[in-house]
Every structure is written in C-alpha cells, then in structure tokens.
Amino acid sequence: MSYMRTAILLAALTALFMGIGFLLGGQTGMIIALVMAGGMNLFAYWNSDKAVLRMYGAHLVDPNGGRDARELYDMVAGLARNANLPMPKVYVMDNPQPNAFATGRNPENAAVAVTTGLMQTITREELAGVIAHELAHIRHHDTLLMTVTATIAGAISMLANFAMFFGGNRDNNHMGFIGTLALMILGPMAASLVQMAISRTREYEADKGGAEICGHPLWLASALQKIAGGAARIPNEEAEENPASAHLFIVNPLHGLRLDRMFATHPPMEERVARLKAMSHTMGSGGLGSGGYDGGDTRSTTQAGPWSGSVPESPRRARGPWG
C-alpha cells in the first residue's frame, strides 16, 4: 500500500508540473516542461550524490585510518550483509548536529553519511539502528525517488517564477494577473506538500526496514529521540543554507525558524517512536530478530574517536562512544 501511495503522489507531482507548463504555454509549454524535467532528472541521476556530499563537506572513511574508523566501516559492512546490499561508501561530515543520510542512484552506487555530532551523541547500538535505517532507504531505492521528487518540485518552483515574467504576455495564457499570481504561490506550495507526503511515507518504511535489518527496533527508537533533541538544540548551517536537502536526513535538520515546522519533511517523532516500540513487542521486546545485528564491539562507550568535532553539551545528554 505504501508503494502504491508513493506512486500516486509521484504521479500527482508530475501531473502538477505538466499542468503548470500547459497553463503557461499550452501544449508547447507542457512539452517544454517535460523536456526540462527530463534533463534535470538526468543530471540529478548521475550527479546528485556527489553534489550533496560535497555540499556537506563529507569525507570518505578510510577503514585503515584507525580503530574507530574500522569499527564504523565494519558496522556498515555487517548491516549491509544483513540487508543483502552491496557495501556502500561510508562518509563522515564534520558537523556538530547529530544526523545522518543516505544518497546514491542505486544500491551499487550508494553512500551512507553520518555527522561527527551523531558519533559523539549515541551509543554503538543506536548508531547501528541509524545506519540500518539508511540502508533501508537504499534497499527501497528511496534515495533515487527523493532525488526525482526534489528535482520536479524545484522545476515547478522555477516554472512558477517564469509565470510572472512570461506568463502574462502569452496569447494562450488566459489566467490574467490574478491567476498568474495564484500560480506563483500555489504551484510551489502544492509541490512541496506532495514532496513532503512522499518523504513522510518513505521515512515510516525506512524505520520499519531499519528495525528489521538490525533486529532491534528499540535501538533506532532511542537513537531517533536523541537525534531529535540534538537537532533541536544544535544548528546545521549547511542545511539551513540548502533547505531543499532537509528531506535526506533521518531527522529534520532545520530549526523551524521560518516556516520549516509548517512544511515538515518528516513524520512526527512521537509517531515514529511509537511504531518502533510496537514493533519491538512483536519481535520480542526489541530482542535480536531473525538475521539481526549483534551490536559489534561492546567495549566501554566512553572512548574518544578520530572524529572529535565538539558538540555543545547538554546536562541530560549521555556521551556516546566516540566523544
């Protein structure tokens, strides 16, 4: 049902894009809009992962770069085997906000990126839950889906801006000034709502898939609560400058200083945690499920790691294994 809903929402987004093109330029405008969307999606298909990793200053983890680098790499490798996925590339972002995302056009060309803030905030078990969530996105091909939806939504906003400059002068545009103004406002808003609906649907599925991959729903539930608390306190400057990328992260990285909360790209945290807790009862109170992950190294969780970016302290926050 979730895949059907996603397909319907994606079709609605495409129809909205074509409709705006038709309103602006008739059949010719609709065709031009489709050609533009095709070119943008083709470019995004091949380059979106590199662009977003560069945007956040992510650097590739060298498995021979130290004990903690090896542990992180081995954790991703073990969870990828559980998920029956090729080994993705592993990146670390020097960012104090705890967060993570996955990107890539397909499982063979995928990457998982975590922040230094995340590695300093949560335990190894919770980190395994986060990585499993991102691997679920890769397995479901959500990384490509969200790239396509973001590209179409961006194209709709671009067309809506064109409407003010060109729409009113076209003979086949009968909207008038009021109609053009409404198109400029409502078009991008409708596209954002559809994009958010797709993103929220995929987040629920990734939570479920991640819990199955690691075998411990409560690991992910606990991680989500810590990440949400950290994201609310610690700004992510790169995300604030590029809000269109917010949907990539496991938790919304934006602070809601403008209209971010009204147009949230993620489901309510309470609902996500509640679903995972309910799932843990089904799997045996969060115990190891079939093919689950055993947590890897369970040594002391107070050691410092190679990524030592400072994170503002909170009296209630327990230190994670890497800081």
Side-chain angles (χ1 to χ4, degrees):
M1 180 60 69
S2 62
Y3 285 102
M4 179 63 69
R5 181 185 178 189
T6 300
I8 292 173
L9 290 170
L10 185 58
L13 193 62
T14 304
L16 176 63
F17 180 67
M18 294 175 62
I20 292 177
F22 180 79
L23 289 173
L24 292 178
Q27 292 184 350
T28 301
M30 183 170 62
I31 293 173
I32 292 175
L34 279 177
V35 172
M36 289 172 53
M40 294 175 68
N41 278 323
L42 186 62
F43 177 83
Y45 178 84
W46 290 105
N47 297 284
S48 62
D49 54 340
K50 303 179 186 68
V52 72
L53 289 167
R54 190 181 308 113
M55 180 190 305
Y56 286 95
H59 57 85
L60 188 66
V61 170
D62 180 2
N64 299 315
R67 182 190 63 196
D68 288 341
R70 187 74 215 182
E71 287 180 4
L72 175 61
Y73 186 90
D74 288 345
M75 178 184 289
V76 176
L79 289 164
R81 285 194 297 270
N82 281 6
N84 294 318
L85 287 171
M87 176 64 185
K89 293 181 180 179
V90 185
Y91 287 83
V92 171
M93 299 170 281
D94 186 12
N95 192 310
Q97 184 187 86
N99 230 317
F101 66 79
T103 186
R105 60 184 181 272
N106 54 39
E108 291 72 31
N109 296 274
V112 173
V114 301
T115 66
T116 52
L118 180 71
M119 299 177 70
Q120 292 177 317
T121 302
I122 64 177
T123 67
R124 283 183 172 82
E125 290 78 11
E126 292 164 344
L127 180 61
V130 170
I131 292 173
H133 170 99
E134 300 305 335
L135 291 174
H137 273 309
I138 294 171
R139 186 168 66 180
H140 298 158
H141 295 268
D142 291 340
T143 50
L144 176 59
L145 173 66
M146 295 314 300
T147 296
V148 172
T149 57
T151 302
I152 297 177
I156 288 175
S157 298
M158 183 177 62
L159 280 181
N161 290 330
F162 284 167
M164 175 59 73
F165 297 101
F166 302 108
N169 296 325
R170 294 194 177 275
D171 295 335
N172 56 354
N173 180 11
H174 303 290
M175 294 184 297
F177 176 78
I178 299 300
T180 300
L181 184 62
L183 178 63
M184 288 183 60
I185 298 173
L186 298 179
M189 185 178 296
S192 296
L193 291 173
V194 174
Q195 183 184 9
M196 288 185 295
I198 294 175
S199 179
R200 292 186 179 196
T201 299
R202 303 320 311 156
E203 286 302 319
Y204 281 133
E205 287 301 307
D207 284 345
K208 179 176 181 292
E212 292 171 346
I213 290 170
C214 73
H216 297 257
L218 294 185
W219 287 0
L220 179 55
S222 178
L224 288 174
Q225 291 175 308
K226 289 184 180 180
I227 296 170
R233 293 183 294 103
I234 305 169
N236 186 326
E237 299 297 339
E238 290 83 1
E240 296 292 344
E241 294 172 1
N242 302 278
S245 64
H247 66 280
L248 294 174
F249 287 86
I250 189 171
V251 169
N252 189 353
L254 303 178
H255 263 202
L257 300 179
R258 300 179 300 276
L259 296 177
D260 300 328
R261 294 190 182 276
M262 183 180 300
F263 296 97
T265 56
H266 294 67
M269 184 56 62
E270 297 80 4
E271 177 64 20
R272 295 176 70 180
V273 171
R275 291 189 181 203
L276 287 167
K277 287 182 176 180
M279 189 176 178
S280 74
H281 294 304
T282 302
M283 297 178 66
S285 299
L288 186 66
S290 175
Y293 181 71
D294 64 6
D297 192 341
T298 56
R299 290 174 293 179
S300 171
T301 61
T302 60
Q303 57 209 8
W307 305 285
S308 55
S310 61
V311 179
E313 287 290 326
S314 168
R316 298 182 180 181
R317 182 172 70 81
R319 298 287 290 178
W322 290 279

